[in-house]
Amino acid sequence: MQRARAEGWRSRAVFKLEELDQRDRLLRPGQRIVDLGAAPGGWTQYCVKRCGSKSTVIGIDLLPIDPLPGSVLIQSDFESDEGLSALETALNGQRVDLVLSDMAPNISGIASADQARATGLVELALDFCDRQLVSGGDFVAKAFQGEGFDAWLAQVRERFKKVSVRKPAASRARSREVYVVARNFRLG
């Protein structure tokens, strides 16, 4: 976190997105980007800085996010009808070029329950892609290897032409956390 603060970032998670972006060239000026699970706003901040003022960057989270010029921030539950409605209103009828999800459940300490909740979140993010992603769009999601992961990954592979599983250097080595980078969405 010290490096992130020293460089003006809101979280150290930004280094994970930066590494994925450098490797996979995810971000481009003019994109419409939705950041699911955005608090404290590091990924949203990176997208705004990287893509410029012609882009639309929308972040949503249950937790409050300090204002960030150049973005639309929504404090709402992404899983709720209210949260989805707020996102759709912010998109103003336009589809999204890139969906980012750094969502993770609050950890209970019960491994099977935590894994089920984590899988539920990435399933919701993929469902959001089905409804809002443009043909040819991209999706990046934090996921946790374990029960349900392989079945979810198979669903991602059905929808995207190229899918990679990445472990950024900024991720803790012992964590089951991985990032799925899915490119070139196929509508329908």
Side-chain angles (χ1 to χ4, degrees), residues 102-118:
D102 198 30
M103 293 188 291
N106 290 327
I107 302 299
S108 69
I110 302 168
S112 60
D114 293 339
Q115 181 65 30
R117 282 199 296 279

Side-chain angles (χ1 to χ4, degrees), residues 43-119:
W43 280 26
T44 302
Q45 181 186 21
Y46 180 83
C47 291
V48 168
K49 183 176 180 180
R50 183 87 168 72
C51 295
S53 62
K54 292 191 168 111
S55 296
T56 302
V57 181
I58 303 167
I60 184 170
D61 201 296
L62 270 171
L63 302 173
I65 306 169
D66 290 337
L68 183 61
S71 68
V72 175
L73 300 173
I74 301 167
Q75 183 180 354
S76 189
D77 185 350
F78 167 68
E79 297 181 70
S80 72
D81 291 340
E82 176 187 296
L84 287 172
S85 177
L87 266 175
E88 289 168 3
T89 299
L91 287 168
N92 197 27
Q94 296 186 307
R95 287 188 165 272
V96 179
D97 299 300
L98 174 62
V99 174
L100 301 173
S101 173
D102 198 30
M103 293 188 291
N106 290 327
I107 302 299
S108 69
I110 302 168
S112 60
D114 293 339
Q115 181 65 30
R117 282 199 296 279
T119 300

